Amino acid sequence: MADITQLQDIEPFNELAAEDFERISSGAKTKKFPRNYHIFNQNDPFTGYLYVICSGTVEITLLTHSGEEIVVDYRRDGQDFGCTPMFTGEKYTGGARTVTELECFLVP
């Protein structure tokens, strides 16, 4: 399992004051997801977490008007995903599916 202090090496967490980082990291956890797993789908309600990738790859997907799922982006080690609902309060505007086994920090 990844060590939560690794977040200190990733933007924007590396810019936080020590007390702010401690507050955020104390509520964070790590989680592994298997290959080809839908972490969330487009229009799902917010899970309550920002996902920061420790290792692995995730693809960001969108549904076309005909219902076809297309890949619009890839996220890898050190990148995040799933933040849109944190700012909008709405459902996910896209989905996230693992390409490889994925380990993430889940930051509430």
Side-chain angles (χ1 to χ4, degrees):
M1 267 302 185
D3 179 356
I4 201 69
T5 60
Q6 289 176 302
L7 267 178
Q8 290 176 311
D9 298 328
I10 299 171
E11 287 185 29
F13 304 101
N14 62 345
E15 300 292 329
L16 293 175
E19 62 272 4
D20 293 331
F21 180 79
E22 179 60 35
R23 190 179 83 249
I24 288 171
S25 66
S26 68
K29 59 184 178 178
T30 58
K31 185 169 182 176
K32 289 186 178 184
F33 298 93
R35 181 179 178 272
N36 202 32
Y37 179 82
H38 286 261
I39 297 171
F40 53 81
N41 294 299
Q42 186 172 334
N43 297 316
D44 278 355
F46 182 46
T47 61
Y49 296 104
L50 169 67
Y51 297 83
V52 181
I53 301 172
C54 302
S55 63
T57 304
V58 67
E59 51 192 12
I60 306 303
T61 62
L62 290 177
L63 293 175
T64 65
H65 292 292
S66 63
E68 178 186 1
E69 186 178 60
I70 59 171
V71 176
V72 295
D73 196 10
Y74 289 90
R75 305 288 169 86
R76 294 173 176 81
D77 300 11
Q79 295 182 303
D80 62 71
F81 62 96
C83 65
T84 303
M86 292 177 79
F87 301 107
T88 65
E90 297 176 3
K91 296 178 180 181
Y92 286 105
T93 56
R97 180 178 58 226
T98 61
V99 175
T100 63
E101 183 176 285
L102 187 76
E103 184 173 13
C104 286
F105 295 116
L106 279 60
V107 182

